[in-house]
Amino acid sequence: MKRFFNPGVFITTLALLFSAPARAAGTVAEKAFRAPVTPFWQTSRKPPTATLVFLHGLGDSPDTPIIQRLVGALGREGASVEIIAPWLRPVTVDAGGIVSPAGVQTMSYQLNEARRAIRATNGQVVLVGHSFGGKAALALAKEFPGKVKGVVALAPSVKMLYSYWKGLTGERGLPDAARIGRVLGEQRTALQQQLAKADKPQLVRQIKSELGYLDVMRDLARYDEPGLERGVTTPTLVLHGTEDAAV
């Protein structure tokens, strides 16, 4: 999207959601989040009055420009907020602390990593999720009703599997899980056969990318997709445009 949100509306909404009492910085949980695998920001030198957990999009990272804008906007507004942004895809960390992607960001993986981050915080949190992370934020709000105080979903990738299935088969609506699994398995076999015959680097990269996305869909098929996204009772702000190709 060219513009994800109006900063004034966004900051006002966060201010309404954030009402946790101030607490001293430097707790065990906060120190743990300073490890390279889980980036940590604090918008002010004052003790934080709220904790925000940011969930990045598919194939992205915690250091996305979106969070940089978020940190800057909150800082300019004078808000004292700590922001935790876990990696939601498998990574490796070398001796120098350099983080590198090491696998596909499935729904199962990102939900587990987000749960770990949420449980390690003190008090309530606000979830801010972008795209695939927004989809996860909606699901997690229902899983942690007493812990998650509010949700801001930026272009959440709702109906992701639905859209992929429609593009693959031309069908509207999702069939039973067994048929989805069978068809997606057949598609994976077909792509692997194409990859074995590919002789141009660009084509190889394209097919590998399609295989990675297909693996995301196969994992997503394990869930009731509408059930992940619907029925949220936590205060929620959804901001969406027209340029997310996954939706």
Side-chain angles (χ1 to χ4, degrees):
M1 299 177 62
K2 293 181 180 178
R3 186 175 180 83
F4 289 98
F5 55 86
N6 179 299
V9 173
F10 186 67
I11 297 299
T12 300
T13 303
L14 287 180
L16 291 172
L17 293 175
F18 287 155
S19 60
R23 57 187 176 82
T27 65
V28 173
E30 288 169 344
K31 291 179 180 177
F33 280 126
R34 296 180 188 276
V37 177
T38 308
F40 172 95
W41 289 265
Q42 192 160 318
T43 62
S44 169
R45 294 183 181 277
K46 301 176 183 177
T49 58
T51 299
L52 185 155
V53 178
F54 179 81
L55 308 179
H56 64 76
L58 184 65
D60 208 342
S61 77
D63 201 26
T64 172
I66 298 171
I67 199 170
Q68 299 298 339
R69 289 185 224 144
L70 174 59
V71 171
L74 287 169
R76 287 191 296 274
E77 289 293 321
S80 183
V81 178
E82 60 180 6
I83 303 175
I84 295 159
W87 276 89
L88 302 179
R89 57 191 300 196
V91 296
T92 58
V93 185
D94 66 18
I98 302 300
V99 182
S100 302
V104 177
Q105 179 183 338
T106 62
M107 178 58 72
S108 295
Y109 189 91
Q110 75 167 358
L111 285 176
N112 285 337
E113 291 303 295
R115 289 181 187 116
R116 183 183 67 83
I118 292 169
R119 288 174 179 141
T121 60
N122 298 321
Q124 294 181 304
V125 300
V126 171
L127 298 181
V128 177
H130 169 233
S131 193
F132 201 43
K135 189 184 192 77
L138 295 173
L140 290 163
K142 293 178 291 184
E143 188 174 333
F144 295 91
K147 182 80 171 176
V148 175
K149 190 174 183 64
V151 176
V152 179
L154 306 173
S157 52
V158 296
K159 291 189 172 182
M160 196 173 182
L161 179 60
Y162 172 94
S163 298
Y164 183 83
W165 181 262
K166 181 181 175 183
L168 182 65
T169 67
E171 300 175 8
R172 291 180 177 272
L174 294 171
D176 61 88
R179 180 163 178 254
I180 294 175
R182 183 174 66 255
V183 172
L184 295 187
E186 293 169 353
Q187 177 67 2
R188 195 175 202 285
T189 299
L191 286 173
Q192 288 176 321
Q193 291 173 347
Q194 292 177 30
L195 182 61
K197 297 177 182 177
D199 56 358
K200 296 181 179 179
Q202 183 176 356
L203 181 58
V204 169
R205 288 194 297 271
Q206 178 184 335
I207 296 174
K208 285 184 176 181
S209 177
E210 291 179 17
L211 279 167
Y213 195 77
L214 176 59
D215 285 342
V216 174
M217 295 300 104
R218 293 178 73 198
D219 176 78
L220 190 54
R222 298 170 50 197
Y223 298 86
D224 170 23
E225 186 175 47
L228 283 174
E229 304 161 352
R230 298 174 183 171
V232 181
T233 57
T234 302
T236 301
L237 173 66
V238 178
L239 299 173
H240 217 308
T242 59
E243 297 184 27
D244 192 331
V247 180

